Amino acid sequence: MIKQQIFEIPTQDGINLHNLNQQVQAVVAQSEIQQGQVLIFSRHTTTAIVVNEDEVRLLDDIQAYLEKLAPPGAQYLHNDLHLRPDIPSDEPMNAHSHLMAMTLGNCETVPVIDGQLALGTYQAIMLVELDGPRDRTVFCQVMGEV
Amino acid sequence: MIKQQIFEIPTQDGINLHNLNQQVQAVVAQSEIQQGQVLIFSRHTTTAIVVNEDEVRLLDDIQAYLEKLAPPGAQYLHNDLHLRPDIPSDEPMNAHSHLMAMTLGNCETVPVIDGQLALGTYQAIMLVELDGPRDRTVFCQVMGEV
Amino acid sequence: MIKQQIFEIPTQDGINLHNLNQQVQAVVAQSEIQQGQVLIFSRHTTTAIVVNEDEVRLLDDIQAYLEKLAPPGAQYLHNDLHLRPDIPSDEPMNAHSHLMAMTLGNCETVPVIDGQLALGTYQAIMLVELDGPRDRTVFCQVMGEV
């Protein structure tokens, strides 16, 4: 059986993380699937989905780490907006956000056991906003046996 | 239901990206699966599969970013070919390509809704060649309900 | 059909990699699933699962690479243990391990064809310990058709 749901996440300025455990668990519960897995897939190119610890000070470390890897103020060809045809008038200069997104990855799959997310003690499914603020959509698909 | 297909992608010198959306969508269409997901899995250790924007100037930024993270000219133990037994005579010095591949990741899973890839507007499934040119094989598996 | 198994991996000090191919293949064989896929999911926030080459000198390159990206000795807010309420008395200073884990990713999905892992010649499924030594648990779930 397959059940899916899309939910919307409003995000804040710059880089920020959003714990999705409750929302994903709710989709699993509604699906009535007991054994299987859930795919969490972001439908954007400047966000990521990660599974890690939701600890407020670590979240600041993540931001600093990503900005060291792909500095927002560096030179990027993608940011030469005048050289790109057919872009929207509000196109942002966000090459660094794309690079961060590729580094962290676009989706995660989490096992479902006895109707529950089989996460470890400190694991949280998180949407990582890398070019906020925006209204983001996350796709959540449960596949398995009732 | 499960359907799979392997396709071959000839790549160019060094780092380059290959948009697979049309080929993956064709596998989904042939499978006749309406609801489910498709796994895109590279069968190599110096390539990656990413979902991000297929914009020509960004692709150059990706190359520069990866070469900053893992410089091709740096010292790597894996490149001391004379210290590795039983390697082919044409073994390349490609430690940097392995490191880039692990950073980007080896596979992606994309939801399928009503027989279509449920990608966001700017999302493209891309094979990232990190040690070309080669003939690469990508595994594509659709799982779901007709 | 869905079959799952958890196995325990004792790890060594610091960063080290553990080839899981034999254990994952054993889970696939026991499941009797012929066509499908297997999800390998780590239940920790300072480990990663990767698919790449299991070559002893490359493994040292991986360690050096990760320690360049997220130096263990750098300043991290997550490591100010006195500012974090309700932590265990043996809480380690491991912000760098979390950052490495997010960079490499928490899970991999590998296709199963004719009852075998459909890995390429040099591909190995590896648990990456980023804050050892510990006793780690890896979740392995096979989904498909017998």
Side-chain angles (χ1 to χ4, degrees), chain A residues 41-59:
Chain A
F41 181 89
S42 161
R43 290 162 58 89
H44 307 279
T45 56
T46 53
T47 60
I49 304 289
V50 300
V51 171
N52 209 276
E53 187 175 353
D54 178 12
E55 193 274 308
V56 62
R57 297 177 66 84
L58 180 61
L59 303 188

Side-chain angles (χ1 to χ4, degrees), chain C residues 102-118:
Chain C
M102 272 179 272
T103 302
L104 295 178
N106 195 64
C107 64
E108 291 281 347
T109 302
V110 177
V112 172
I113 308 296
D114 299 335
Q116 302 291 319
L117 293 172

Side-chain angles (χ1 to χ4, degrees), chain B residues 1-2 4 39 41-45 69 71 76-78 80 83-84 98 102-103 106-107 139 141 143, chain C residues 35-37 52-53 55 57-58 60-62 65 68 103 108-109 111 113 118 120 122-123 143-145:
Chain B
M1 180 185 277
I2 299 169
Q4 51 227 358
L39 168 67
F41 181 89
S42 162
R43 289 162 58 89
H44 307 279
T45 55
L69 292 189
Y76 300 102
L77 298 178
H78 184 64
D80 292 334
L83 297 176
R84 291 168 52 196
H98 288 282
M102 272 179 273
T103 304
N106 196 63
C107 65
F139 192 96
Q141 185 181 58
M143 192 182 283
Chain C
Q35 315 299 333
Q37 54 186 233
N52 209 276
E53 187 175 352
E55 193 273 308
R57 296 177 66 82
L58 180 61
D60 284 337
D61 289 328
I62 294 169
Y65 173 69
K68 194 186 70 171
T103 302
E108 291 281 347
T109 302
I113 308 296
Y122 294 105
Q123 286 185 314
M143 192 182 283
E145 299 165 353

